[in-house]
Amino acid sequence: HVQLVESGGDSVQSGGSLTLTCVNSGDPVRLNCMAWFRQAPGKEREGLARITRDGLELYANSVKGRFTISRDKDKKFHYLQMSDLKPEDSAMYFCAALSGPRACYLETKYFDYWGQGTQVTVSS
């Protein structure tokens, strides 16, 4: 059983930085890929970054160069470091994971497990 819990959301000013943390309370060996998504009110959930079990990273164009995904070697934690935050980054942020030897694309339909979300608010 995999359970993901996010933390680290906060209110910051434009240009600020935050680091989000996702902890997996289940068996990390089963997880092939970890990712971060976000969803603003009235918008679809947007894939931001993913990291495979081999450490390969992929980023959405909207956050490339500003956000960095990482994980600990035991794959129990993964992180999203966010810098140069903008008001349009305000959203609920979710961590996600998928199991099994499958391709890992930044689309919600590929992911098996989700956290409850942590709110990030960026003021101008």
Side-chain angles (χ1 to χ4, degrees), residues 30-106:
R30 299 180 56 212
L31 298 180
N32 183 47
C33 185
M34 313 290 287
W36 287 94
F37 288 74
R38 69 185 177 192
Q39 189 167 20
K43 295 189 176 181
E44 293 189 355
R45 194 165 292 192
E46 173 191 12
L48 303 176
R50 67 94 165 122
I51 186 166
T52 69
R53 63 184 301 116
D54 297 322
L56 297 176
E57 301 168 28
L58 176 70
Y59 296 92
N61 288 335
S62 58
V63 303
K64 197 175 295 183
R66 300 189 298 124
F67 291 11
T68 302
I69 190 170
S70 60
R71 57 168 172 73
D72 71 316
K73 64 180 180 62
D74 296 323
K75 307 181 192 66
K76 182 173 177 63
F77 294 88
H78 70 285
Y79 309 95
L80 186 68
Q81 295 174 276
M82 306 184 293
S83 63
D84 190 23
L85 285 162
K86 308 174 189 299
E88 52 264 41
D89 293 318
S90 297
M92 187 70 78
Y93 283 67
F94 299 90
C95 64
L98 67 83
S99 59
R102 294 179 285 137
C104 182
Y105 300 106
L106 276 174

